Amino acid sequence: MKKTNQFDRRAFLTRATVGGATAAAGAALAAPAIAQEMPEVKWRLTSAFPKSLDTIYGGAEVLSKYLSEATGGKFQLQVFAGGEIVPGLQAQDAVTDGTVEACHTVGYYSWGKDPTFALGSAVPFALSARAMNAWQYHGGGIDLYNEFLATHNIFGLPGGNTGVQMGGWFRKEIKTVADLQGLKIRVGGFAGRVLERLGAVPQQIAGGDIYPALEKGTIDASEWVGPYDDQKLGFFKVAPYYYYPGWWEGGPTVHFFFNKAKYEALPESYKSLLRSACQATDANMLQKYDHLNPIALKELVASGAQLRPFSAEILDACYKAANEVYAELEGSNAAFKKIWESIKVARADWYLYNQTAEYTYDTFMMIQQRNGTL
């Protein structure tokens, strides 16, 4: 019996080894076979941003890397900075007309074509980054936005978020609503419409052109993103007053826009990969900004930037003016109304909830910071 058992064990081990080797060989053969089944796709993507802004421009490079790595180089996305193919503010147009297959931009750059574009990125006094993500991924926001984008031959996916932005750089202090009269400020879309009602003069200028405009006095103020990107562009050297918060961009989503026909022609496996890679890129950008902005803000203050909060008077006036614009757009633009109504429901629920655990915890920790115990 002892020899028989020993023989059986040896036979089992032999069978297991042979079977394992066969399975391993099969796996080794299967991988290239699967790769061979993947079609080669070569797309061009135009960014709305300059290469110097490595975090926001870098989102497109991150997506390109993910797609290439997951497909063994079969799905290639060549990234071009704003201005290399088309000007940054025309990135969406290039996708709509098929000049390129993809772009990386913010929807509110296309506000002038239809204000509904802005709802997928950021509008005044709306959602924070976390609330925006909740609405998009689980509240139907992506589908609602794509219903609108389809009318422009686009399929869109979130591709980054900066978190609440700063209110921008000002050549002089802004304390009251009266100080906004005649103020020439670089600000996009919806926020420009709101500030215009309060006497400001909005300007839409691409990122790379802001510094010289401030330096020459062509504009009096400019918003951009937040401490990390603003530090790179050197705004503090020509406009020392740094205001907050950027009430027009509580959680701005940067989007990947794809030519709809090109997207629909992809194999289902590539569509799935693209959705997953975009979501990973979306999360990565916010995480990176959350890491870099606190460091940059301390350095900016040390370099002479003068931090200033917008006064309650200014914020209240802007909030009232924004609601007036919303009411007008809801009455004249059915696509805008449909998406905005969904956002309002999400906003009400989010800020009701956020008053409990999140707000209380953050407030307590901020008090400890001010008390010097952190």
Side-chain angles (χ1 to χ4, degrees):
M1 291 292 295
K2 192 171 184 178
K3 289 183 178 180
T4 303
N5 288 341
Q6 187 177 18
F7 176 80
D8 288 345
R9 283 197 299 274
R10 286 175 179 170
F12 171 78
L13 290 171
T14 300
R15 289 194 297 272
T17 302
V18 172
T22 302
L29 290 172
I34 292 172
Q36 288 170 9
E37 292 172 3
M38 291 181 176
E40 288 194 359
V41 173
K42 294 183 179 181
W43 281 3
R44 296 192 306 166
L45 179 149
T46 182
S47 175
F49 314 107
K51 289 183 180 179
S52 59
L53 301 179
D54 60 298
T55 303
I56 196 165
Y57 168 82
E61 293 183 322
V62 169
L63 178 65
S64 176
K65 178 174 179 286
Y66 288 164
L67 294 175
S68 180
E69 288 178 348
T71 61
K74 295 284 188 176
F75 197 157
Q76 295 182 24
L77 191 65
Q78 187 177 8
V79 179
F80 295 87
E84 290 183 345
I85 296 180
V86 296
L89 298 180
Q90 295 176 23
Q92 173 263 308
D93 292 322
V95 172
T96 293
D97 64 26
T99 301
V100 294
E101 291 82 5
C103 75
H104 194 216
T105 188
V106 280
Y108 53 65
Y109 283 168
S110 297
W111 157 273
K113 298 179 185 65
D114 189 322
T116 311
F117 270 108
L119 292 174
S121 52
V123 289
F125 303 105
L127 301 174
S128 65
R130 279 185 61 182
M132 191 72 175
N133 284 333
W135 172 70
Q136 288 185 119
Y137 290 105
H138 298 282
I142 291 176
D143 291 339
L144 280 171
Y145 197 40
N146 271 311
E147 184 179 317
F148 162 72
L149 292 177
T151 64
H152 293 269
N153 196 30
I154 292 172
F155 176 77
L157 290 169
N161 201 302
T162 67
V164 182
Q165 293 194 359
M166 296 292 283
W169 299 88
F170 292 71
R171 290 162 59 92
K172 64 179 182 178
E173 288 189 86
I174 304 297
K175 297 179 179 180
T176 68
V177 173
D179 292 330
L180 296 174
Q181 293 293 320
L183 184 85
K184 297 188 296 292
I185 178 171
R186 183 272 180 193
V187 64
F190 202 138
R193 176 79 67 86
V194 173
L195 286 167
E196 195 171 33
R197 287 175 178 245
L198 301 176
V201 183
Q203 311 283 319
Q204 186 140 301
I205 304 173
D209 300 326
I210 297 172
Y211 185 94
L214 277 172
E215 186 177 33
K216 296 174 184 176
T218 306
I219 57 175
D220 305 306
S222 175
E223 59 82 35
W224 180 236
V225 178
Y228 180 69
D229 284 343
D230 292 2
Q231 183 184 39
K232 280 181 169 292
L233 294 177
F235 296 144
F236 67 94
K237 299 174 185 177
V238 289
Y241 298 104
Y242 200 19
Y243 277 85
Y244 62 90
W247 44 265
W248 48 86
E249 294 186 78
T253 294
V254 186
H255 264 83
F256 289 112
F257 286 162
F258 305 103
N259 180 274
K260 191 171 184 291
K262 292 291 185 180
Y263 171 78
E264 290 177 347
L266 289 175
E268 290 302 318
S269 60
Y270 275 19
K271 290 179 184 177
S272 178
L273 172 61
L274 194 60
R275 290 192 295 269
S276 297
C278 285
Q279 188 168 2
T281 303
D282 185 23
N284 181 72
M285 184 185 292
L286 182 59
Q287 293 157 4
K288 191 172 182 181
Y289 272 121
D290 282 347
H291 169 67
L292 294 171
N293 277 333
I295 300 168
L297 184 59
K298 288 190 292 185
E299 293 174 350
L300 282 168
V301 171
S303 298
Q306 302 293 309
L307 280 178
R308 297 287 189 275
F310 284 125
S311 67
E313 176 191 334
I314 288 175
L315 288 175
D316 286 342
C318 290
Y319 182 72
K320 179 181 178 182
N323 285 333
E324 291 172 357
V325 177
Y326 283 129
E328 292 172 4
L329 290 172
E330 285 183 286
S332 61
N333 188 320
F336 185 96
K337 180 178 181 179
K338 183 175 183 178
I339 299 177
W340 178 234
E341 286 182 343
S342 177
I343 291 176
K344 284 194 292 184
V345 171
R347 182 180 64 171
D349 286 343
W350 174 257
Y351 288 109
L352 179 63
Y353 164 74
N354 212 48
Q355 293 176 53
T356 57
E358 294 285 343
Y359 176 81
T360 305
Y361 178 77
D362 284 348
T363 301
F364 177 80
M365 295 304 292
M366 290 172 196
I367 291 171
Q368 306 318 304
Q369 175 84 53
R370 293 181 180 183
N371 289 342
T373 64
L374 289 186

